[in-house]
Amino acid sequence: MKQLKLTGFVIFFFFLTESLTLPTKPQDVDDVSITQKFIEDNIGYITIIAFAQYIQEASFEEVEMLVKAMTEYRDKCLADMTLPECSKLANDVLLENICAMEGLPQKHNFSHCCHKADFERKHCFLHNKKADVGFLPPLPTLDPEEKCQTYKNNRESFLNNYIYEVSRRNPFVFVPTLLTAAARFEEMTKICCEEQEKANCFRTKAETFIQYLKALSSYQKNVCGALMKFGPQILKSINIAVLSQKFPKIEFKELISLLEDVSSKYDGCCEGDVVQCIHGRSKVMSHICSKQDSISSKIKECCEKKIPERGECIIYSNKDDRPNNLPLREAKFTESENVCEERDADQENFMAEFLYQYSRRHPELSTPELLRIAGVYEDLLRECCNTKNPPDCYRHAENKFNETTEKSLKIVQRECEHFQILGKDDLKYHYLINLTKLAPQLSTEELTFLGKEMVTALTTCCTLSEEFACVDNLVDLVLGELCGINENRSINPAVDHCCKTNFAFRRSCFEGLEADKTYVPPSTSQDLFIFHADLCQAHNEELQRKKDRFLVNLVKLKPELTGVELQSLLADFTNVVKKCCQAQGPEACFREEGPKLSAKSQVA
């Protein structure tokens, strides 16, 4: 893992002789040497990530068998690149090797994918991935001293196991992100194992590390979900908005050229194609750095970094300053007499340019809001261009844009007011109840995760000066988690409608939803009110998780109860735990109090 310093966005795309242009610039020649060294050192990590994401149920021993097979394949091809099998694409070779592992396809129920070929096989494996990882055992945790000793004794096995466990629990996270996570994990381990207070060091540093992984995971799943459900056009719109805000001085023609590389990157990353994903990432960063004078003044230092480090540097660089000569409005889209003619000449390009011009002028708006405004403008032109006097109709477009933003702003303000009034814990219970009533078909693990993420969004953003964009962006990511990445995911008719009808306006769609009327609760309490003394051993964080799960399962059992009634029962549960854990015989106390709480829920 020596090459994975912090960023780890390594150039793995020459592996297995992918069809790429030969290097012509010094920087490209340097790419080859870095890549060659990376291939020699890190093929195992890449294979572990890909296999663990495709076949999440596979054991670590099975993953190690595939690593051995892929390493042998690599060594054979490095020795003689003219062998026929060395001309295959990397992802195809990986899937062939997975399918060739004796008994594995039948054991883990993916033999139907192995009977397909090429594109169909790849998509079958993609749809085999499960976002809800509740079927996996809890992530293994080691005592800090034991963790440090294990790392010291066998660094490679320790890191392999870590990458395996994280990858199978994050099946849609892009490979470069997981490589970065692995590098950060090793760096954290090295630092903390030198400290006296190892546990405190791991706890403190892990929080930042976990947030990093969660944030990128949510964004990547959201963008890939948009691509899978709505197609490449919505992905293009998202990228126009994001890049135009980040690089407001970029020319439109240059942006369109850059978008071709960006779209190619997401095609590979969203499909789980390891090589195409990292190749695409490198191509985007090379494009940006080769044109930095016309793209951004904030990335010079990033582009001077070595290739494995420059990607993350560019992503986390500040937004560039808005050009001084940029007027507040682009008259071409609201004041020209020929708007309809220009739109009709090339509608896709015209709308792309509108989104570019509006985004670069409004760094204070969220990506979803920019997409909403583009949608409002498109609808307005559809209406205006069919009137006798189109300019009179679309001249007031700015008013429509402002109205749209005001509606979105009011939603954010209302949510932040909830946060101020309720506080963190009660706000979480509010969202756990509401989300479970909206989508009771989701697993308890998914619902508790979504509730916590909503609270994180508000606690992170509601005190910031850029409150609106921050809340709107983060809540949209939570909705992306709810809707899921696969286009065939179905929850219930109302939620499915919001997830699949309009990407930009799904936030307002969810605002109007009520409890799912198609849901039929379980006929029995399914041991919900059977408690045991292990509750007394649970630490604060674990006890809080059990309370959250109890509340979600209570809503699933009694969806007709009001929020007040449900929170009252949650308070009763908390009191029962406190009472029984202080009793001489906790188990006997729980046996007595559980049925009482069950009876109370019947009459609530």
Side-chain angles (χ1 to χ4, degrees):
M1 209 80 172
K2 293 190 291 291
Q3 303 299 317
L4 299 179
K5 296 294 183 188
L6 270 185
T7 52
F9 294 123
V10 285
I11 316 307
F12 183 62
F13 50 90
F14 286 98
F15 170 48
L16 303 182
T17 62
E18 292 289 346
S19 240
L20 296 178
T21 314
L22 289 172
T24 56
K25 303 173 189 171
Q27 178 70 66
D28 293 333
V29 173
D30 190 41
D31 289 357
V32 175
S33 62
I34 292 171
T35 304
Q36 195 64 31
K37 179 64 176 166
F38 173 71
I39 292 170
E40 293 166 6
D41 288 351
N42 297 297
I43 180 176
Y45 299 125
I46 300 296
T47 304
I48 290 168
I49 291 170
F51 188 22
Q53 286 190 321
Y54 277 134
I55 314 299
Q56 293 155 272
E57 302 89 344
S59 68
F60 183 59
E61 291 70 30
E62 289 165 337
V63 172
E64 286 187 311
M65 286 168 59
L66 183 68
V67 169
K68 185 172 181 289
M70 291 298 283
T71 304
E72 289 172 356
Y73 181 86
R74 177 208 63 185
D75 291 344
K76 184 198 299 184
C77 289
L78 287 177
D80 184 1
M81 301 294 274
T82 63
L83 293 171
E85 61 264 40
C86 297
S87 63
K88 295 179 180 179
L89 295 175
N91 207 57
D92 291 345
V93 173
L94 179 76
L95 296 181
E96 282 176 11
N97 274 274
I98 290 173
C99 288
M101 293 177 75
E102 189 175 351
L104 198 75
Q106 294 75 25
K107 179 182 176 182
H108 297 305
N109 196 30
F110 63 89
S111 52
H112 59 292
C113 294
C114 295
H115 294 143
K116 301 178 187 291
D118 303 327
F119 180 80
E120 285 76 16
R121 175 184 281 185
K122 184 167 68 174
H123 267 251
C124 184
F125 273 97
L126 175 66
H127 288 296
N128 200 53
K129 293 182 178 184
K130 303 168 190 71
D132 180 7
V133 294
F135 65 93
L136 293 176
L139 190 64
T141 55
L142 293 175
D143 171 82
E145 293 289 348
E146 189 182 352
K147 186 183 294 184
C148 292
Q149 195 58 48
T150 305
Y151 174 68
K152 185 179 177 182
N153 291 345
N154 194 333
R155 169 187 169 275
E156 186 171 352
S157 178
F158 177 78
L159 290 174
N160 282 352
N161 203 278
Y162 168 78
I163 292 171
Y164 158 74
E165 293 290 1
V166 172
S167 299
R168 69 201 290 237
R169 287 170 173 80
N170 295 277
F172 296 104
V173 175
F174 298 170
V175 173
T177 302
L178 289 170
L179 292 174
T180 303
R184 289 188 171 189
F185 176 72
E186 180 171 23
E187 186 175 277
M188 177 179 71
T189 303
K190 282 180 180 176
I191 292 169
C192 291
C193 287
E194 295 297 318
E195 296 285 328
Q196 284 289 104
E197 296 287 332
K198 292 181 177 61
N200 188 49
C201 177
F202 275 114
R203 190 163 46 247
T204 305
K205 292 189 177 296
E207 184 60 32
T208 306
F209 170 76
I210 290 166
Q211 288 304 321
Y212 161 82
L213 187 58
K214 277 169 58 177
L216 284 180
S217 169
S218 286
Y219 182 76
Q220 290 163 4
K221 282 195 280 187
N222 192 43
V223 173
C224 291
L227 175 63
M228 301 290 186
K229 289 183 172 71
F230 297 97
Q233 186 56 47
I234 193 68
L235 178 62
K236 181 180 178 182
S237 296
I238 291 170
N239 287 322
I240 289 172
V242 170
L243 293 170
S244 301
Q245 280 191 320
K246 190 170 184 66
F247 305 129
K249 76 174 187 179
I250 191 173
E251 293 294 332
F252 180 62
K253 285 183 180 177
E254 186 60 55
L255 174 67
I256 293 302
S257 173
L258 177 59
L259 282 172
E260 291 176 10
D261 290 341
V262 173
S263 297
S264 171
K265 175 192 113 169
Y266 277 107
D267 285 345
C269 294
C270 292
E271 290 173 359
D273 189 320
V274 175
V275 172
Q276 192 183 342
C277 180
I278 300 179
H279 169 40
R281 171 64 173 270
S282 172
K283 196 174 179 185
V284 169
M285 298 310 162
S286 294
H287 187 139
I288 291 171
C289 287
S290 69
K291 304 282 183 67
Q292 57 182 294
D293 290 341
S294 61
I295 291 179
S296 174
S297 61
K298 302 278 176 100
I299 58 172
K300 187 173 186 296
E301 288 186 8
C302 294
C303 291
E304 289 171 354
K305 293 180 182 291
K306 292 181 180 178
I307 287 179
E309 297 171 338
R310 68 178 177 176
E312 186 167 280
C313 181
I314 290 171
I315 287 170
Y316 284 102
S317 64
N318 292 327
K319 289 178 181 176
D320 209 346
D321 302 320
R322 201 168 76 172
N324 292 327
N325 60 350
L326 189 67
L328 288 176
R329 295 184 185 182
E330 175 53 72
K332 170 181 177 178
F333 296 100
T334 56
E335 295 171 26
S336 166
E337 298 291 316
N338 304 314
V339 168
C340 295
E341 288 79 4
E342 289 191 46
R343 182 203 66 160
D344 293 344
D346 187 347
Q347 186 164 343
E348 183 179 333
N349 203 56
F350 180 83
M351 288 306 304
E353 188 177 356
F354 168 79
L355 182 55
Y356 153 75
Q357 294 288 7
Y358 201 88
S359 300
R360 67 201 288 247
R361 286 168 168 78
H362 292 278
E364 79 282 0
L365 296 182
S366 65
T367 302
E369 185 60 23
L370 292 167
L371 299 188
R372 289 174 206 130
I373 286 169
V376 165
Y377 182 61
E378 189 170 14
D379 290 343
L380 180 67
L381 290 190
R382 195 177 291 118
E383 178 187 322
C384 291
C385 293
N386 285 320
T387 63
K388 289 183 179 178
N389 193 340
D392 268 359
C393 178
Y394 57 66
R395 197 160 282 132
H396 306 290
E398 285 288 343
N399 294 336
K400 291 275 189 186
F401 303 157
N402 292 337
E403 286 171 16
T404 304
T405 300
E406 277 299 314
K407 285 180 186 175
S408 301
L409 184 60
K410 282 178 181 173
I411 293 173
V412 168
Q413 287 172 336
R414 189 164 62 246
E415 285 166 336
C416 284
E417 282 170 11
H418 277 152
F419 166 59
Q420 301 293 346
I421 294 167
L422 296 175
K424 197 171 177 180
D425 286 342
D426 284 346
L427 184 70
K428 180 178 65 175
Y429 300 141
H430 166 79
Y431 281 116
L432 288 177
I433 291 168
N434 284 4
L435 287 165
T436 306
K437 287 193 173 206
L438 288 182
Q441 296 83 0
L442 294 180
S443 71
T444 302
E445 286 74 17
E446 284 180 286
L447 288 162
T448 53
F449 171 77
L450 292 169
K452 281 163 57 179
E453 289 303 290
M454 282 296 293
V455 174
T456 299
L458 299 183
T459 53
T460 301
C461 302
C462 284
T463 55
L464 299 179
S465 57
E466 61 272 22
E467 174 183 282
F468 171 63
C470 182
V471 171
D472 204 37
N473 278 326
L474 290 190
V475 170
D476 189 64
L477 296 186
V478 178
L479 295 181
E481 293 273 6
L482 192 161
C483 291
I485 195 168
N486 288 331
E487 68 269 25
N488 58 358
R489 175 174 165 102
S490 181
I491 299 168
N492 63 54
V495 170
D496 292 348
H497 171 77
C498 289
C499 287
K500 296 175 182 178
T501 303
N502 190 311
F503 180 82
F505 284 92
R506 65 183 177 186
R507 178 90 185 277
S508 54
C509 182
F510 275 103
E511 277 288 306
L513 286 192
E514 296 178 349
D516 178 29
K517 293 180 172 60
T518 67
Y519 175 66
V520 179
S523 55
T524 64
S525 62
Q526 297 176 327
D527 300 338
L528 180 61
F529 298 100
I530 297 176
F531 312 124
H532 295 288
D534 63 339
L535 282 168
C536 304
Q537 273 75 56
H539 296 296
N540 287 343
E541 199 173 315
E542 178 59 26
L543 184 59
Q544 190 57 59
R545 278 197 291 270
K546 289 179 182 289
K547 285 173 66 176
D548 294 347
R549 290 177 57 83
F550 174 80
L551 179 58
V552 167
N553 289 327
L554 182 62
V555 180
K556 288 187 174 198
L557 180 66
K558 296 286 181 180
E560 73 280 3
L561 296 184
T562 66
V564 173
E565 290 169 330
L566 289 161
Q567 291 223 41
S568 175
L569 287 166
L570 178 64
D572 291 338
F573 168 71
T574 304
N575 291 334
V576 165
V577 173
K578 186 177 180 181
K579 176 183 176 180
C580 291
C581 289
Q582 291 174 348
Q584 283 192 334
E587 200 69 46
C589 177
F590 280 127
R591 277 198 301 272
E592 183 181 339
E593 294 296 330
K596 289 181 186 176
L597 189 56
S598 176
K600 193 170 183 180
S601 73
Q602 302 296 326
V603 296

